[in-house]
Amino acid sequence: MSTTDDETPFDAYREDVDRPLWRLFREYAPGRLGWFSVGMVANFVARMASLVPPLLLGVAIDALFTEPDSAAFELPLVPDAWLPTEQLDQFWFTIVAIAVAFVLVAVFTWIYGVAANLFAHDVMHTVRVDSFRKMQRLDMSFFDEKQTGEVMAVLNNDTQNLERFLDNAVMNSARLVVMVGGIAAVLCYLNWQLAVVTLVAVPAMVLFTLWFMRVAEPRYVRQRSAVARLNTRLENAIAGMGLTKATSSEDHELDRVRESSLNLFRRTMDVLKLSYLYRPGMELLAGIAFAATFLVGGLWLTTDTAPGPLTGTLSVGDFVVFLMLTQRIVDPLAEVSNIVDQYENAKASSERIFGLMDIPVHVDDPDDPADLEPVEGHVAYENVTFSYADSEVRATAHETETAFDETVIEDVSFEAEPGETVALVGPTGAGKSTLVKLLLRLYDVQEGSVRIDGHDVRDVSLSELRSSVGYVSQDTFLFDGTIADNVRYGQFDASDEAVREAAKAAQAHEFVTELPDGYETRVGERGVKLSGGQRQRIAIARAVLADPDVLLLDEATSAVDTKTEALIQESIDRLTEGRTTLAIAHRLSTIKNADEILVLEDGRVVERGTHEELLDDGGRYATLWNAQAGTVDEALDALADGGQ
Ligand code: ATP
């Protein structure tokens, strides 16, 4: 499906999620039913205990104060034999029982709070970790759609919404049912006819709530999407702050953030406008119930006859209990609006969470993986064809409108014997990086196959494949942490000595030791405190330490000066020695010793051979070599302009 203005690409995934909140309970509650039940029971006891004081008060008013001679001192569910017979004893009994009831309310409310919180937070912790685990398994094509902010919204805001729902809404609705049920039972016990007058508002409130939920739901969904959009926008704006400053584009960025924020504001107002109608509506209905009770009960007492079709008598004590409990019904019912609010939010959020969890993973482990170890390092590409558009469609299982619908790699075949180096050169966008990513299975080929030691990469386990293949990518990513942590990334058990040796081999040791804290220097977010060349050498050191069987070098020396390049080249030569290597380079001098050089153009191999052979052929490569001054890109562009 194509996405509309209000939808983020991410929304496509949530459509197929069936009854998400029920699923949340089914999948996550079973292991935690203990806390859930303790919370429910404590809630029930606390609510029931809170009904005791008004009830006792009503009995005491009649039996002790207004009608001491005619009214009996009786309590529902309590045998008369347990109750004192003397008036003074009854008075003291009432006081003590009310005090005990308040203590019970306090103790059980505390137990309920702790149990409900433990239940809700534990569920959320697990949901958060599970969604992150799932997110890590998603295909690269998912992340190409740049949904970091979206995913962050799921992991943060959405799980928080669920937590609020589990913590507050679930327990509050239980409280509501217990309160309304308990109060209705007490009122009916005292005077069922007046109870009918009081409780007639309850079905009206239920109907009003159902109407609200139906109308509000789509608005909540749109509000959640607006939150996610704003997150994405902010995430992008913060990541690109350097570019924004350098190009004086603050106003432009501000406008974009303002627009997303305004969109969220509008969507939130759509929701709130309804809530504004709903909350007072509920309070009005509750107020009508109170006024009706007061009117009918008051008339009954003042005229001393049952009004209208009603029959029987009403005591002052019962009337007071009615008024107190009617007031008690109002509070929890008025809270329904909060519960509905949290419910709708949680429903939208859990749809998104399960939407994420249900995204099909295509680049996954095979059912019965072949054994790759020990790796000899024979790499073969056989008639490989690939396009990003196809991989996106497969990854999302939804049609996605994309600008990238052309074939990026077309019918490419080559082989690297163990220990050989195959170099890939060609103009920018020719498909060189894509080609090496296929070996790592960051994407799967659509036609043909990529093989290591005769095994199709799709037939071996991802972890075995990726631990045998080292990748020094075009953009060197460093985690915020120390230099040692970054060199060690992936080989977490490596000793300090091994880290130092790897850094020496990558020509990084010298600059690292000159830093104030040496290997313990923190590199800052994404390594911003290091220069491009330094970052690259750390990445090479990481590869040296990993000691992979097959090495992928993507323009590993592009960000350094000529002197450093010579140093790095030396370390790379050492690193690639005896190791199968696919090397992408823009400077031909770095790959002239390669066993085979492939010249790629528009995803096709247009020339192949050794450096000498290609020079002898006098084709594109030779022209480029002779044009030594510039990079391959510039030379190729020049060639294209020159009508070659
Ligand atoms: P350079 O030398 O500039 O790094 P390259 O030869 O490595 O270029 P690739 O990065 O493989 O080229 O890109 C090949 C083509 O695939 C380009 O047209 C590019 O726009 C497209 N492409 C690259 N990555 C993606 C992606 N993640 N999703 C969609 N299209 C992509």
Side-chain angles (χ1 to χ4, degrees):
M1 54 150 274
S2 61
T3 52
T4 66
D5 247 13
D6 266 337
E7 280 182 352
T8 61
F10 195 74
D11 287 338
Y13 308 122
R14 65 169 185 77
E15 286 177 357
D16 305 327
V17 180
D18 190 28
R19 291 190 296 165
L21 285 175
W22 170 234
R23 182 168 156 194
L24 180 78
F25 272 96
R26 219 180 43 221
E27 291 186 13
Y28 289 95
R32 301 164 184 85
L33 281 182
W35 287 120
F36 184 72
S37 321
V38 169
M40 284 291 191
V41 171
N43 197 8
F44 180 79
V45 175
R47 274 14 307 159
M48 285 299 139
S50 76
L51 293 181
V52 172
L55 193 63
L56 276 168
L57 190 69
V59 172
I61 287 173
D62 288 343
L64 301 179
F65 309 133
T66 57
E67 300 167 37
D69 301 324
S70 57
F73 191 83
E74 287 171 345
L75 287 173
L77 306 176
V78 181
D80 287 347
W82 294 7
L83 299 173
T85 47
E86 291 300 314
Q87 274 209 348
L88 195 61
D89 294 343
Q90 288 171 349
F91 175 72
W92 283 113
F93 176 87
T94 307
I95 301 284
V96 171
I98 287 178
V100 169
F102 276 122
V103 171
L104 283 179
V105 171
V107 170
F108 280 90
T109 304
W110 179 80
I111 296 177
Y112 142 71
V114 172
N117 273 306
L118 273 170
F119 169 72
H121 287 269
D122 191 28
V123 168
M124 283 348 295
H125 161 68
T126 316
V127 168
R128 203 178 287 126
V129 173
D130 278 3
S131 350
F132 184 74
R133 183 183 298 125
K134 166 68 196 221
M135 192 204 68
Q136 284 188 309
R137 288 184 52 228
L138 289 176
D139 297 345
M140 260 332 271
S141 44
F142 175 83
F143 298 97
D144 291 344
E145 288 178 36
K146 295 230 186 319
Q147 291 164 149
T148 319
E150 282 278 304
V151 181
M152 287 298 288
V154 172
L155 295 175
N156 256 328
N157 308 31
D158 287 329
T159 47
Q160 254 164 34
N161 273 343
L162 281 200
E163 185 251 302
R164 254 195 301 274
F165 168 73
L166 292 175
D167 199 358
N168 289 321
V170 170
M171 292 297 172
N172 278 347
S173 26
R175 193 177 89 138
L176 181 80
V177 171
V178 173
M179 280 305 269
V180 174
I183 289 174
V186 171
L187 296 186
C188 288
Y189 167 81
L190 293 179
N191 188 320
W192 71 266
Q193 297 180 58
L194 189 56
V196 170
V197 174
T198 309
L199 298 173
V200 82
V202 173
M205 286 172 150
V206 171
L207 287 179
F208 187 47
T209 302
L210 289 177
W211 168 83
F212 172 72
M213 286 165 76
R214 199 167 52 80
V215 183
E217 193 167 315
R219 301 188 186 205
Y220 276 103
V221 171
R222 284 198 292 272
Q223 189 202 21
R224 297 296 318 143
S225 295
V227 171
R229 278 176 164 254
L230 178 63
N231 272 355
T232 307
R233 170 64 51 222
L234 290 174
E235 220 266 337
N236 260 288
I238 292 169
M241 193 57 85
L243 177 64
T244 306
K245 280 185 187 298
T247 53
S248 269
S249 306
E250 283 89 347
D251 287 346
H252 171 72
E253 241 6 270
L254 184 62
D255 282 348
R256 299 213 287 185
V257 168
R258 184 180 288 123
E259 190 192 316
S260 296
S261 176
L262 196 63
N263 182 40
L264 174 59
F265 167 74
R266 293 203 178 108
R267 301 290 163 237
T268 308
M269 286 313 293
D270 285 348
V271 169
L272 289 180
K273 268 187 253 167
L274 262 195
S275 299
Y276 289 147
L277 188 69
Y278 175 69
R279 276 162 214 248
M282 287 294 277
E283 274 167 23
L284 190 67
L285 285 173
I288 290 172
F290 184 78
T293 309
F294 197 90
L295 175 76
V296 175
L299 277 178
W300 202 328
L301 278 182
T302 44
T303 59
D304 216 9
T305 36
L310 307 185
T311 54
T313 56
L314 175 72
S315 70
V316 175
D318 288 352
F319 184 50
V320 170
V321 178
F322 258 85
L323 292 183
M324 287 181 76
L325 291 188
T326 311
Q327 199 58 43
R328 287 270 187 97
I329 283 194
V330 175
D331 286 347
L333 279 179
E335 227 172 80
V336 169
S337 62
N338 284 334
I339 294 176
V340 171
D341 194 74
Q342 286 164 0
Y343 167 80
E344 290 298 345
N345 260 316
K347 196 161 164 238
S349 288
S350 55
E351 272 180 6
R352 291 159 51 84
I353 290 177
F354 287 118
L356 173 83
M357 292 204 191
D358 289 349
I359 297 174
V361 176
H362 292 97
V363 179
D364 207 356
D365 280 328
D367 290 336
D368 188 15
D371 234 355
L372 190 59
E373 300 285 352
V375 182
E376 281 185 31
H378 180 272
V379 172
Y381 281 60
E382 292 171 2
N383 307 101
V384 170
T385 295
F386 173 78
S387 113
Y388 282 102
D390 283 355
S391 91
E392 263 166 34
V393 170
R394 288 192 320 117
T396 60
H398 289 270
E399 265 180 60
T400 317
E401 279 175 18
T402 171
F404 305 103
D405 56 356
E406 42 181 85
T407 306
V408 174
I409 302 294
E410 211 171 335
D411 199 20
V412 169
S413 302
F414 67 91
E415 257 183 81
E417 295 296 337
E420 278 188 0
T421 294
V422 172
L424 304 169
V425 298
T428 179
K432 306 180 293 291
S433 305
T434 307
L435 206 56
V436 302
K437 284 177 187 163
L438 295 176
L439 182 62
L440 270 176
R441 268 197 92 196
L442 292 184
Y443 305 90
D444 273 345
V445 300
Q446 272 101 42
E447 281 172 40
S449 62
V450 179
R451 295 178 177 274
I452 292 191
D453 292 352
H455 298 291
D456 189 317
V457 287
R458 288 168 292 193
D459 293 338
V460 298
S461 86
L462 282 171
S463 63
E464 210 177 341
L465 171 72
R466 290 175 184 167
S467 59
S468 321
V469 181
Y471 181 40
V472 179
S473 75
Q474 216 166 19
D475 12 75
T476 18
F477 185 91
L478 301 186
F479 278 101
D480 184 21
T482 65
I483 290 193
D485 292 341
N486 273 291
V487 173
R488 203 178 267 129
Y489 197 82
Q491 315 296 321
F492 302 101
D493 297 333
S495 67
D496 290 347
E497 187 51 35
V499 168
R500 252 194 308 279
E501 284 309 314
K504 276 184 193 158
Q507 307 289 353
H509 181 71
E510 201 175 320
F511 89 78
V512 173
T513 43
E514 279 168 13
L515 292 169
D517 295 320
Y519 283 89
E520 295 310 308
T521 309
R522 297 192 76 85
V523 298
E525 184 145 5
R526 295 169 198 227
V528 287
K529 292 186 187 163
L530 298 181
S531 74
Q534 291 171 331
R535 280 207 293 274
Q536 235 166 18
R537 278 176 277 169
I538 301 286
I540 294 172
R542 194 186 282 160
V544 173
L545 186 66
D547 189 20
D549 302 293
V550 178
L551 186 67
L552 306 177
L553 291 174
D554 194 346
E555 282 188 295
T557 58
S558 64
V560 295
D561 58 47
T562 337
K563 184 169 155 259
T564 319
E565 186 190 335
L567 285 173
I568 294 182
Q569 193 55 47
E570 199 185 309
S571 64
I572 285 182
D573 286 346
R574 230 180 296 154
L575 177 64
T576 55
E577 207 174 276
R579 202 188 302 266
T580 316
T581 305
L582 302 190
I584 299 175
H586 280 186
R587 299 178 208 202
L588 302 188
S589 55
T590 59
I591 44 97
K592 80 179 189 351
N593 296 327
D595 298 283
E596 184 170 33
I597 298 170
L598 306 180
V599 182
L600 278 180
E601 245 181 54
D602 291 336
R604 288 172 169 279
V605 178
V606 290
E607 273 176 33
R608 62 169 75 210
T610 61
H611 175 70
E612 283 74 22
E613 287 165 359
L614 291 173
L615 282 189
D616 285 349
D617 287 351
R620 284 173 169 75
Y621 182 84
T623 320
L624 293 171
W625 181 258
N626 294 328
Q628 280 295 321
T631 63
V632 173
D633 294 1
E634 287 160 355
L636 273 175
D637 290 345
L639 275 181
D641 289 343
Q644 154 93 37

